[in-house]
Amino acid sequence: MSLAWLSSGAKISLHHSQHQQLLLKTKTRDGDSDKEDNITLAELCRKATPETCKLNPFLFNGHLQTAWTTTPAVEIPIFYKRKIFQADESNFEGHFAVDFVVPPYDMPTNDEAVDKERTYTLPSGLPPRTSLFSNEELESLPSDDSRPMLVVLHGLTGGSHEVYLRAALAPLVLEDRGWEACVVNARGCAQTKIGTPVLFNARSTWDLRQVVKWLRKTFPNRPLFGLGFSLGANILTNYLGEEGEDCAFKAAVVCANPWNLELSSRALHRTWLGAEVYSAHMNNSLKRLLSDHIEVVSQHPKIDVEEVQKTRYIYEFDRAVQAPLWGYPTEGAYYRDASSVDSIAAIRIPFLAINAEDDPISVQEAIPYDEFKQTPYGVLLTTSWGGHLGWFEFGGGRWFAKPIANFLDLMAKEINLSVPPTVRDTRAQSQKIPSEATVARAHYEPMRRKLAFNVGQK
């Protein structure tokens, strides 16, 4: 790498379409609609991005930045109340936990709040600063307020307790900016028991979809926003693509998305460090998670527990668990199906993606630079340095929390969300791509990831 670490500065770049611009309508401060103006998504992202990315000079590459995520960190006092959701889709039966950010409170000791019977919680108990909603609290949750609400997805085997996640939440929920937030914990994560062998995978969008529907009903006036990290970023990107124009989110941020899982897996195992440190560590985390739920998971007829215990790398775990659990013939088929890179083309809300180009897990060669040049709805922010969910500044702060909070705050407070964004094509008419009606019958459907044909078209 360059000697950027000498000045503690990482290079910041924004990648987006040059010809198609997404126009967002700004709010007026005096109610005069004639004074409303447009701002492009690229301009808003540029406004949200700090001018510099000054990181800890002692953590001068992606490996050190990534390794530092395992060290004790400054405490971030975010408190949660947990709601247990029963899956409303028969194909994905079971339950999962959603943690809602609430004001600080004295931790309760009553049986219901701490799940003394461990109906939904592992024997080791709930995560720190977390307790279950009482029935009375759940009944009082519905509200007509219009506070912006953030829905967050964590990374592999993580949960609402993760420091990187709380670092991103802190500017929005601890600085009185008026935000509400909740974290959708993947099944079996964040100390939650599972009721069926259905766990999670890299495109398990169904629980998120159920939560969003519930939020729309419970808080009908709150604009919803999405935020995903690592594996959760991949899931969120797939969800945004699946929902397309019907997406309930007003905007979203995806951070450290691995994008192309097959390519990322191959890159990870190309080096000793990638295989023996990162892949082996993630595999061990998955095996520990599986061991917490072994009695339930072992009931699945296609899971061979002995084979799972023999796995050493994450691709072997995916071969032994994810492929048979979801009906994929190989882990490669799983990776190709679950990758979110093609979902970008189907997204129809403003979104910001943040990746470090020296990330040893969500590797640079998998970052879809060209795809971002083809969509007006997304902007890719890259830094030359930062590692995987690191971006540690001197003193322990996390740089990525700044563009995340700035982007979400600008979208929620300066953009008129009642006016749908529009696309402006700056190319001359002669340079524009012909309409679908005048071109060949073949077309690409991003969410099918297949070439399709309009058979009846003439």
Side-chain angles (χ1 to χ4, degrees), residues 15-214:
H15 312 267
H16 55 85
S17 171
Q18 297 297 320
H19 302 298
Q20 289 186 304
Q21 300 175 343
L22 192 68
L23 300 180
L24 307 170
K25 187 71 70 174
T26 59
K27 289 181 179 178
T28 58
R29 301 191 183 280
D30 55 7
D32 186 353
S33 61
D34 291 335
K35 293 183 180 180
E36 286 186 343
D37 201 359
N38 291 321
I39 184 173
T40 68
L41 176 61
E43 291 170 341
L44 184 137
C45 290
R46 194 170 294 112
K47 184 176 180 181
T49 304
E51 292 185 3
T52 59
C53 180
K54 298 284 188 178
L55 303 182
N56 188 330
F58 296 104
L59 305 175
F60 51 82
N61 62 36
H63 297 300
L64 292 173
Q65 284 279 335
T66 303
W68 200 251
T69 62
T70 64
T71 63
V74 177
E75 187 52 58
I76 304 174
I78 291 179
F79 287 72
Y80 298 104
K81 287 279 188 173
R82 174 167 292 186
K83 172 177 167 55
I84 303 297
F85 282 77
Q86 296 293 335
D88 60 5
E89 170 58 62
S90 60
N91 290 325
F92 312 113
E93 61 182 354
H95 61 259
F96 59 97
V98 178
D99 293 337
F100 291 77
V101 176
V102 296
Y105 60 93
D106 295 328
M107 296 306 298
T109 57
N110 65 80
D111 295 354
E112 180 184 21
V114 300
D115 192 17
K116 184 178 180 180
E117 298 298 322
R118 297 295 185 256
T119 305
Y120 302 108
T121 309
L122 293 174
S124 49
L126 291 160
R129 299 173 304 281
T130 304
S131 63
L132 269 65
F133 278 117
S134 67
N135 290 331
E136 293 76 15
E137 289 171 329
L138 285 173
E139 291 174 358
S140 65
L141 267 184
S143 172
D144 290 330
D145 72 67
S146 57
R147 294 162 65 92
M149 184 151 199
L150 183 61
V151 184
V152 189
L153 278 70
H154 58 79
L156 183 71
T157 72
S160 60
H161 58 282
E162 295 287 358
V163 177
Y164 64 80
L165 188 151
R166 287 183 286 131
L169 282 177
L172 297 173
V173 301
L174 297 182
E175 297 181 6
D176 196 28
R177 295 197 192 186
W179 281 80
E180 300 286 347
C182 67
V183 182
V184 181
N185 295 299
R187 298 197 188 192
C189 293
Q191 298 296 101
T192 307
K193 281 184 177 179
I194 58 173
T196 70
V198 177
L199 286 171
F200 61 87
N201 65 31
R203 64 167 304 164
S204 52
T205 58
W206 36 89
D207 290 345
L208 172 60
R209 183 170 289 103
Q210 180 176 342
V211 172
V212 170
K213 290 179 181 178
W214 183 87

Side-chain angles (χ1 to χ4, degrees), residues 152-155 164-165 168 227-233 255-256 389 400 404:
V152 189
L153 278 70
H154 58 79
Y164 64 80
L165 188 151
L227 171 61
F229 294 96
S230 193
L231 185 76
C255 187
L389 297 176
F400 68 80
I404 289 174

Side-chain angles (χ1 to χ4, degrees), residues 348-360:
R348 292 296 179 268
I349 65 165
F351 72 102
L352 171 66
I354 305 174
N355 282 85
E357 293 179 322
D358 67 351
D359 188 328

Side-chain angles (χ1 to χ4, degrees), residues 202 231 234 258-266 334-335 338-340:
L231 185 76
N234 190 82
W259 297 110
N260 187 322
L261 303 181
E262 187 173 38
L263 199 159
S264 294
S265 177
R266 290 178 180 176
Y334 162 54
Y335 293 155
S339 291
S340 62

